[in-house]
Structure formats: structure tokens, C-alpha cells
Amino acid sequence: MTEAWPPVLSSASMDPAHWAYHAEGAANMLVRYVGPHMWPFWNTQGGDEVMVLRIPKKIHASDAEQVPAADIFLSQVLVHVLPSSSLPCMRRLDMDTSWLPFLQALADKCEPVRPIFRKAAGGMDMSTPHIWMMRDDSRPLPQSRLVVEIKPKCGYLPSLPTTRYPCKASMPKCHIQKLYQLGQKAQDADTHEWYNPLDLFSGDEGKIQRAVNALLDDWTHGSGYLHMFVDGARMSFGDIQEHIPWLQVPRRLSWRIAQILTENRHLLHTLAHQQQRLDPYDIEGIAQLWHARTGKPLNSTPVEELPRITLADYAFVAANSVPVVSSDKDMHYVMAAYLLAATLKDVTLFIPLDDVEGTPMYRANPIGARIVDLDAKRPSKLCQHARKDAAMSAFVHCLAPDQRCATYLRRV
């Protein structure tokens, strides 16, 4: 019988020289194994996956302790809303003092290559009780070179009985955000078609193709929600042409990515359905509910005054099959559901692609799309989202109609 991977490790088996900085988000840092091709750091008995370590960062937030551990959130909450075959495999490592030299050596090694804005927000948590082992989804499997990373974003428009901002009924939130950002920077809109998440989640082959074309257009201009990895390294359009010279026409790649996403329509449908089921109110509606019950604006409520969200709350709303609606006693369920929906709106899809004998044709890896970036959100995100949503929506709402047409309506 093949041993489960990744297996349990001990600090004695870990050599800091065999690990390198890979990436990081707001709450965690990823270090990738770059040592000899050997078990257990390479899955030599299975699919040849490479290991990454997910190490928490020091978070200076009063509600950080309310965030469930990543593996517990995955096994007790996310399995109820997403297909388990598309979820990451995470194995927890309990830390003790024997791990401190390894963690310190990693922190020292990573610090010089970390982005400056990430350094300012904090570093590796030397006192963390746990780290996690995972597969490196940015690394292709054997006979592969390419992995596509896509952040699909929100797959529906909110249905609000009352809203101060009618633009929400016709514009995806990422478009509202883009108009707001352009306005803050006093920049003109770009000329190519904007990526519309509603196209990607539509289930319609033509619309999915249009969405992928727009994602790749953004990528070739150095922006957007799509990235490409070659042999595990993220590369720009210019860099990737040097490594795969025949990739001169992104439309060839676009066609194959769209095919794979069309084949994964059920996964995209499930993701959009759960986003909408868990967030029937939109943050604007939740702010209205909160104000009606407390007399206070949500966007300025101290986090200590928010309902405490527990793992049981997340599990309850995840396992329920109907939209989470409000009553006088369950505001914490509504907020837990919104935070879970926020996690689903922020996921990343990794799609491995096989390079077929150096030709510009691709076939999907049999493992298919993988979903990562599934961290639970801190309750304080409710207040932050309420502030950001009001600012962006008000800005777009106040644009002159012809201004909105010039920068938006021609692109959808």
C-alpha cells in the first residue's frame, strides 16, 4: 500500500538549505522544497508532487484568535460547500522548541526576498503552535511545464430589495472596484474588454471563452486575475515567451483554458451557488440589518461589539442547504455565512496543463482544477468590507451616466 502523502515529519528531518521562499498572503508564508528529489519531500510513490510548508505570520489583530485553524476549517466547514476532490490536502505539524532553529533559519533566509509591503505588515510567527504541509499547486506534474492560476472572484450580482447604489444591479463588484481605483488614480480606462466573472460562471461555452480572453489580455498587460507558472515559477507574458518561444499567440492558450473551464462547469456552478446562498444580503444589506438592530453603523463598530463567530457557526451555515436568512436571534449566523462567502469569493484556481511534445496544443491534467486560498476571514472584515463597499459604490453611483458608459458599458 502506498503511504499517504504528505506524511508526518519531524524537525530532525528538516534542512533549511532545502527550502526557499515561495509566496505569502496577509496571514501565511509559503516556503517551497527545493532539495534533492527524495521522499517524503517529493511524492516519489504517487504523483510526484512537491511539498510546501505553510507557516503563519504574526497577526496583530484582536480578532485573530477567532479564525479557525486552516485544516479544521477545511475538514469541518469547506467540505460541505465544495467538492472534496478539488480541495487541498493539508497535514498539520505541531510545533515545539525543537522546531525553533529551523523556523528561525527559514525566517532569516526568506526576509531578504520578501516584498517590502509584506515586510511592513509583519513576519513569520516564531511562536506558532502549528504549521502545515501541502502540495505545491504551482508546480506542474511530470511531462508538464505550465500551470494557470485564476482568481475567478464573485459569480453573481446581488439581489437587494433596497439599495442606495443601483449600479450594483448591473455591474460586477470587481468592475465597481476597478472604476473606483481608476478614479482615485485619475487614470483613463484601458481599451481592451474587461474580465467579467459572470461570463466565467455562466456555463455558456462562448461566454467562458470571452472571460478567458479578457483574463489573458489583462495578463499580457501585466495586470488582472490570471497568472502563469512555468516549472513552478510565476512569469510575465514576456518572460514566458523566452521559455516557450512558440507561445506567441495567447489565443491558442486561451482556447485550451476555456475548454478546461467548460469541462469544469459543475465546479464553477457550485462555487457561484454557494457564494450566493451564503450571502443573500450583500454587505450593504448586512449593514442595514446591523443598524436596525443596534442603531450603530457597521463600518465603525468596534470588533469587540460584533457577535463572536465560532467554528460551530461556520459548520452550521455550511451544512445548511438553503439561504441563510435573518431572525432576531441569529445575526451571528448571517455574519458567519457572509464571512464564509467572502472566503469563496477570494479563492484561487490552479489548472495544470500538459505541454504536448512542444506543440501549441494542450490537454488538461487528469487531476483537473484545484482550489486554494481558502482561509477563514476575521470578523473585522465585516466592518472593512462595509466601509470599502460604501466608498466604491457611492463613487460609481455619482459618476455621470455618460462617464459610466464611456468607461464601462461598452465593455460588457
Side-chain angles (χ1 to χ4, degrees):
M1 180 180 294
T2 302
E3 186 177 346
W5 190 89
V8 175
L9 300 176
S10 69
S11 58
S13 65
M14 307 294 277
D15 183 348
H18 293 164
W19 298 86
Y21 177 86
H22 178 38
E24 65 183 287
N28 298 280
M29 194 179 302
L30 297 180
V31 293
R32 169 193 283 162
Y33 179 73
V34 293
H37 190 290
M38 59 183 289
W39 177 273
F41 309 106
W42 288 72
N43 185 10
T44 56
Q45 299 180 16
D48 219 29
E49 296 98 333
V50 184
M51 187 183 295
V52 293
L53 299 178
R54 169 190 160 120
I55 305 174
K57 294 161 63 175
K58 194 71 174 177
I59 303 297
H60 302 287
S62 60
D63 58 341
E65 76 284 353
Q66 293 191 49
V67 177
D71 55 330
I72 301 299
F73 191 61
L74 184 68
S75 63
Q76 297 190 24
V77 177
L78 293 170
V79 292
H80 295 296
V81 295
L82 294 172
S84 57
S85 60
S86 296
L87 295 175
C89 175
M90 303 183 69
R91 190 179 294 277
R92 180 190 295 203
L93 286 173
D94 296 326
M95 297 290 98
D96 56 34
T97 55
S98 69
W99 284 88
L100 281 175
F102 174 75
L103 290 179
Q104 188 60 61
L106 279 188
D108 294 342
K109 192 174 182 180
C110 292
E111 200 63 19
V113 295
R114 294 179 63 207
I116 294 175
F117 79 100
R118 293 295 189 191
K119 289 183 182 182
M124 194 179 290
D125 185 358
M126 294 293 112
S127 61
T128 180
H130 317 290
I131 66 174
W132 288 268
M133 297 179 295
M134 302 171 61
R135 67 189 172 212
D136 182 357
D137 285 311
S138 70
R139 289 287 292 264
L141 300 184
Q143 290 78 52
S144 302
R145 299 200 68 195
L146 299 176
V147 174
V148 182
E149 176 193 79
I150 296 174
K151 270 199 172 296
K153 308 306 286 184
C154 183
Y156 69 100
L157 293 177
S159 178
L160 295 170
T162 59
T163 177
R164 298 175 60 187
Y165 314 112
C167 59
K168 286 185 173 184
S170 59
M171 292 186 184
K173 184 159 286 187
C174 64
H175 289 185
I176 293 175
Q177 180 178 8
K178 187 166 185 176
L179 284 171
Y180 176 76
Q181 291 172 341
L182 290 170
Q184 299 307 297
K185 297 175 182 178
Q187 291 181 348
D188 294 329
D190 43 43
T191 56
H192 60 273
E193 183 176 8
W194 289 4
Y195 163 64
N196 189 336
L198 303 183
D199 286 339
L200 193 74
F201 286 99
S202 68
D204 178 87
E205 189 171 356
K207 291 181 178 180
I208 292 173
Q209 183 69 71
R210 182 169 68 177
V212 175
N213 289 346
L215 285 166
L216 278 168
D217 280 344
D218 279 335
W219 173 63
T220 60
H221 290 85
S223 62
Y225 301 112
L226 181 145
H227 298 283
M228 293 288 300
F229 291 82
V230 177
D231 300 327
R234 181 186 285 188
M235 293 190 179
S236 67
F237 177 55
D239 291 337
I240 207 170
Q241 287 180 303
E242 294 181 13
H243 289 76
I244 306 178
W246 49 259
L247 186 57
Q248 302 293 324
V249 183
R251 286 291 189 266
R252 294 172 176 172
L253 184 59
S254 175
W255 173 80
R256 189 60 192 120
I257 295 171
Q259 266 197 329
I260 296 169
L261 289 170
T262 300
E263 293 163 6
N264 282 269
R265 279 180 288 203
H266 177 69
L267 174 61
L268 292 171
H269 172 79
T270 299
L271 186 57
H273 168 72
Q274 294 292 356
Q275 290 174 354
Q276 190 167 21
R277 178 184 73 82
L278 292 163
D279 181 21
Y281 293 105
D282 188 70
I283 191 62
E284 183 185 357
I286 291 179
Q288 292 170 359
L289 286 173
W290 181 254
H291 188 270
R293 294 183 183 189
T294 67
K296 298 179 180 179
L298 179 60
N299 59 12
S300 60
T301 296
V303 67
E304 296 79 11
E305 297 181 17
L306 295 174
R308 186 174 183 84
I309 309 300
T310 67
L311 181 64
D313 296 331
Y314 283 120
F316 174 81
V317 298
N320 205 337
S321 61
V322 298
V324 180
V325 295
S326 175
S327 68
D328 289 340
K329 297 180 180 179
D330 63 3
M331 195 68 191
H332 60 298
Y333 286 140
V334 172
M335 290 183 164
Y338 173 82
L339 292 171
L340 179 52
T343 292
L344 300 183
K345 294 173 188 177
D346 201 33
V347 302
T348 298
L349 299 180
F350 276 104
I351 303 172
L353 298 175
D354 287 348
D355 182 354
V356 183
E357 299 178 356
T359 68
M361 293 295 293
Y362 294 86
R363 65 183 185 275
N365 189 287
I367 290 179
R370 292 165 166 172
I371 303 177
V372 298
D373 290 346
L374 289 161
D375 294 331
K377 304 295 185 182
R378 300 197 312 272
S380 57
K381 290 292 184 181
L382 288 156
C383 308
Q384 295 174 21
H385 288 187
R387 287 194 294 271
K388 186 176 180 180
D389 176 76
M392 294 191 308
S393 301
F395 174 83
V396 174
H397 177 70
C398 290
L399 287 175
D402 59 334
Q403 216 172 346
R404 287 201 294 271
C405 288
T407 56
Y408 173 71
L409 295 178
R410 291 183 301 178
R411 291 180 170 78
V412 297

